[in-house]
Amino acid sequence: MRCPYCGSLDDKVLESRTMANGESIRRRRECNECGYRFTSYERIDEKPFMVVKKDGRRQPFDTQKLSKGIERALEKRPFSISMVEQITNDIEDLAVKKGKESREISTSDLGNLVLEQLYTIDKVAYIRFASVYRHFENLDEFITEVKNIEKRAKKENKSEAGAK
């Protein structure tokens, strides 16, 4: 490690400590040339998790973008900010698991993960998100999606009643 004071590459480590839940290491160092003490930090430089757009472009996964989309869908619904954060974290975890091998996920897979999560917690938020995600062009598309939700809910209720 280069000494920030004299530029020498000859130093010794005095102390090492694990920081941030084991995600980084802090090292106290001393230059053998001038005696100057300084701190260095070491962490894993991971390949970023990527999102593959419909046109093939790749961009880093952005939790803020995901959170904003979920917030818009849940706007004026009875959900707290902490609930939005929890949903966002759950979706991010599912996305990383789904794209574990390649470290990437398609926007369609990511959108479907969001829709599944929203369906389980709030049907109105589900419709809001679906209308943007699936680019609803007219009222008929809304009506069709609402009918699909009703059919799905009836099937789920029947299967729950049969299980009892």
Side-chain angles (χ1 to χ4, degrees), residues 3 75 133 153:
C3 173
E75 195 171 357
Y133 172 65

Side-chain angles (χ1 to χ4, degrees), residues 47-53 56-61 94-107 109-110 113:
K47 180 180 168 188
F49 190 70
M50 303 297 280
V51 175
V52 181
K53 302 291 222 169
R57 289 180 298 129
R58 285 169 170 70
Q59 66 185 82
F61 180 85
L94 290 169
V96 169
K97 283 180 189 173
K98 189 169 182 97
K100 189 170 187 122
E101 294 296 316
S102 61
R103 303 261 324 135
E104 61 186 31
I105 188 169
S106 69
T107 53
D109 287 344
L110 185 58
L113 289 174

Side-chain angles (χ1 to χ4, degrees), residues 49-143:
F49 190 70
M50 303 297 280
V51 175
V52 181
K53 302 291 222 169
K54 288 179 183 170
D55 64 3
R57 289 180 298 129
R58 285 169 170 70
Q59 66 185 82
F61 180 85
D62 187 352
T63 309
Q64 296 289 49
K65 253 181 159 176
L66 179 61
S67 182
K68 284 179 187 176
I70 293 167
E71 282 176 17
R72 276 190 227 115
L74 291 169
E75 195 171 357
K76 297 184 182 177
R77 303 296 299 155
F79 292 95
S80 65
I81 295 296
S82 62
M83 183 67 167
V84 171
E85 289 172 2
Q86 182 61 48
I87 295 165
T88 302
N89 290 338
D90 291 347
I91 292 168
E92 183 176 10
D93 291 345
L94 290 169
V96 169
K97 283 180 189 173
K98 189 169 182 97
K100 189 170 187 122
E101 294 296 316
S102 61
R103 303 261 324 135
E104 61 186 31
I105 188 169
S106 69
T107 53
S108 61
D109 287 344
L110 185 58
N112 288 330
L113 289 174
V114 174
L115 285 172
E116 285 300 314
Q117 286 286 321
L118 290 176
Y119 180 84
T120 61
I121 62 165
D122 189 79
K123 307 301 186 265
V124 173
Y126 171 88
I127 289 292
R128 286 178 176 173
F129 190 86
S131 69
V132 174
Y133 172 65
R134 294 187 178 146
H135 307 289
F136 288 176
E137 303 268 333
N138 56 48
L139 185 59
D140 291 335
E141 292 178 23
F142 273 97
I143 293 168

